[in-house]
Amino acid sequence: MNLTDILSQAGGIESMASQLGVSPETAKAGADALLPAILGGFKKQAETGGGVEGLGGLLGQLGGGGLFDAVLSPQATPVDQGNDVLGQIFGSKDVSRTVASHAAGQTGLDSGLLKKMLPILAMLVAGYMAKQGGQQGQGGGGLGGLLGGMLGGG
């Protein structure tokens, strides 16, 4: 099962779709196109920021599992937190714009929509990784196994 399916089953894709005023199918297509860059950003962060332990600490600083819950909440998603996540994994807004433009070329979706989707999706991924990393801390491969599995299989 890929990460888009996992986020969809957890209600994240539908929540993002309703917040952006698009169909779940559109949100899923956007997520499929944006996720490789987001996951790549987290992988790079893990490689340069103190390994998986450093990434786990960063996820905690950014809001941990609460990021995931914030997107699922009936209140509007605090996208500033998502932009903080993107700032950590991409380094600059230019990278986010490039990612959105590339995804627009792949999907035919509007790059403006994809730019709005990026911080919400980043919150979903960061929150999901924080929740799973915390649950798997004992012998289950933890965050490193999770990130490797998502990058390998997602």
Side-chain angles (χ1 to χ4, degrees):
M1 180 180 303
N2 72 18
L3 184 57
T4 312
D5 294 336
I6 293 167
L7 295 176
S8 189
Q9 282 186 352
I13 300 297
E14 289 75 11
S15 184
M16 181 172 67
S18 69
Q19 289 181 46
L20 296 173
V22 298
S23 71
E25 293 76 23
T26 299
K28 187 175 185 325
D32 281 335
L34 294 170
L35 277 171
I38 291 172
L39 292 172
F42 279 114
K43 181 178 183 205
K44 186 173 155 207
Q45 192 66 40
E47 290 168 350
T48 61
V52 172
E53 292 78 21
L55 180 60
L58 174 66
L59 291 171
Q61 288 171 9
L62 292 168
L67 292 168
F68 193 87
D69 298 333
V71 176
L72 295 183
S73 156
Q75 283 80 34
T77 298
V79 291
D80 289 351
Q81 287 182 288
N83 286 323
D84 290 346
V85 174
L86 291 172
Q88 287 292 329
I89 62 171
F90 289 161
S92 79
K93 288 187 190 296
D94 290 340
V95 176
S96 292
R97 286 193 215 43
T98 302
V99 167
S101 296
H102 180 73
Q106 284 183 305
T107 61
L109 296 174
D110 179 62
S111 67
L113 170 66
L114 292 163
K115 282 181 203 165
K116 290 179 190 167
M117 207 178 273
L118 258 175
I120 299 172
L121 197 56
M123 288 174 69
L124 283 170
V125 173
Y128 178 77
M129 288 195 311
K131 284 178 179 255
Q132 295 302 309
Q135 290 172 2
Q136 294 180 345
Q138 306 281 309
L143 198 54
L146 178 71
L147 189 59
M150 287 192 309
L151 289 168

